[in-house]
Structures are given as C-alpha cells and as structure tokens.
Amino acid sequence: AVCDGTKYGDLNKDSNIDANDLAALRKYIIGSYEFVYKYATDINGDMKTDIIDLISLKKHLANGTKIEGRKPVKNFFLEKFN
C-alpha cells in the first residue's frame, strides 16, 4: 500500500523496504528511534504501531508477504523522540 507517495514499511522514505526499515521500526516501537515517517509504521493497517507490525514487516522481508498499511492520510510527517 502507498500513502502520499511513500510505501508503508518505508520508514526512512528512501523508496526501499529493507533491513534498515526493520531496524527503525524496532527502535520506534521501543521509543529510541529519532526520526521515522509515523504513518509508514502501521504495516498491518490496524491504526496502531506495535510488535504485530514488526512481525508483519519481518514476514514481508523474508517472503514477500503483502503490506496492507492504513487507509490513505493527507500528510506524512516526521516524529521525533527524545
């Protein structure tokens, strides 16, 4: 799924969904990653970001499982964690 030109799962918005995004999602979930595209984190489309999204992204990277993502939103934004 795509929202505002960015793929769900592409947390760093580099146009690739890869191990860097997986690492970023893991850090985002525990609150230690400084910048991610928040709406790209909802891999399974349930309107929250949690361990299920991490598992879904791992499955996608391992075997190409479809990424659902949330319904389209108007704007992506960076979220900063201190």
Side-chain angles (χ1 to χ4, degrees):
V2 177
C3 177
D4 201 22
T6 300
K7 298 175 186 175
Y8 290 105
D10 185 13
L11 278 67
N12 59 6
K13 204 170 180 179
D14 67 354
S15 299
N16 296 305
I17 300 173
D18 55 25
N20 293 324
D21 299 299
L22 184 65
L25 182 56
R26 186 179 301 118
K27 290 178 181 179
Y28 177 84
I29 289 170
I30 64 171
S32 68
Y33 194 75
E34 287 197 13
F35 294 104
V36 297
Y37 286 87
K38 182 178 179 182
Y39 291 105
T41 65
D42 186 14
I43 309 302
N44 67 344
D46 65 355
M47 302 300 288
K48 59 186 174 184
T49 301
D50 55 21
I51 191 70
I52 303 302
D53 296 296
L54 185 66
I55 292 167
S56 297
L57 186 55
K58 281 178 125 175
K59 286 181 179 180
H60 170 76
L61 292 173
N63 60 23
T65 304
K66 184 178 179 185
I67 292 180
E68 295 296 328
R70 5 176 129 158
K71 293 181 180 177
V73 293
K74 293 193 181 217
N75 294 311
F76 271 95
F77 60 90
L78 287 172
E79 185 164 306
K80 182 174 171 82
F81 287 87
N82 295 324

